[in-house]
Amino acid sequence: EGIAVGRSFAMYKNYNIDGNKEMIAIGTMNIVGSFTSCYLTTGPFSRSAVNYNAGCKTAASNIVMSIAVMLTLLFLTPLFYYTPLVVLSAIIVSAMLGLIDYEAAIHLWKVDKFDFVVCISAYIGVVFGSVEIGLVIAYFGYCCLLQDQEHLFWETFQTL
């Protein structure tokens, strides 16, 4: 998930990331953190989306955000106790809506309808299920596409 998030932001910011280096960095952080009983290291998509929409440019924004979260947890937690989870989740969803590339989906519709259906199915799987469900839907959709293309290949080959 962390690499997928990194690639989506790299696309918006026009820079390249190396998936191997990302995996080595995450693995190293998890190994070092295990010596001090830390939680596993990940790159949460929602926090990155909120930072992006807030206009954060550097990693120093994480320091400011961690101090703000710490002060909020120390002093304002009683105020959030009665806030419905729907309100809190709406804040995250509204931050993530800016990351959806509608033009790419429209282009996909014009180029290949089946790919568009797989894309929308995976999106619905992620939104209403989880990232894993969305990936499974996309995987099986493309398996169906490959099976159909293989069938067409063999029909074409037999006519030659």
Side-chain angles (χ1 to χ4, degrees), residues 109-122:
W109 172 259
K110 293 176 183 175
V111 172
D112 190 357
K113 306 275 193 270
F114 186 80
D115 281 347
F116 176 79
V117 170
V118 171
C119 173
I120 294 301
S121 301

Side-chain angles (χ1 to χ4, degrees), residues 20-126:
N20 290 332
K21 289 181 183 177
E22 293 289 323
M23 292 300 289
I24 291 170
I26 291 172
T28 304
M29 288 187 295
N30 285 331
I31 290 170
V32 171
S34 68
F35 292 116
T36 60
S37 300
C38 283
Y39 285 107
L40 293 176
T41 304
T42 61
F45 187 57
S46 58
R47 190 177 72 201
S48 300
V50 170
N51 274 350
Y52 178 76
N53 286 334
C56 299
K57 302 287 182 196
T58 65
S61 65
N62 291 325
I63 297 170
V64 174
M65 184 176 56
S66 65
I67 292 170
V69 168
M70 181 182 68
L71 292 174
T72 301
L73 289 174
L74 286 174
F75 302 113
L76 299 178
T77 303
L79 298 176
F80 289 118
Y81 181 75
Y82 295 105
T83 304
L85 290 178
V86 174
V87 173
L88 298 175
S89 63
I91 294 169
I92 295 172
V93 168
S94 65
M96 292 174 62
L97 285 178
L99 298 176
I100 298 172
D101 192 2
Y102 298 107
E103 289 83 18
I106 292 169
H107 177 71
L108 197 57
W109 172 259
K110 293 176 183 175
V111 172
D112 190 357
K113 306 275 193 270
F114 186 80
D115 281 347
F116 176 79
V117 170
V118 171
C119 173
I120 294 301
S121 301
Y123 173 75
I124 291 171
V126 169

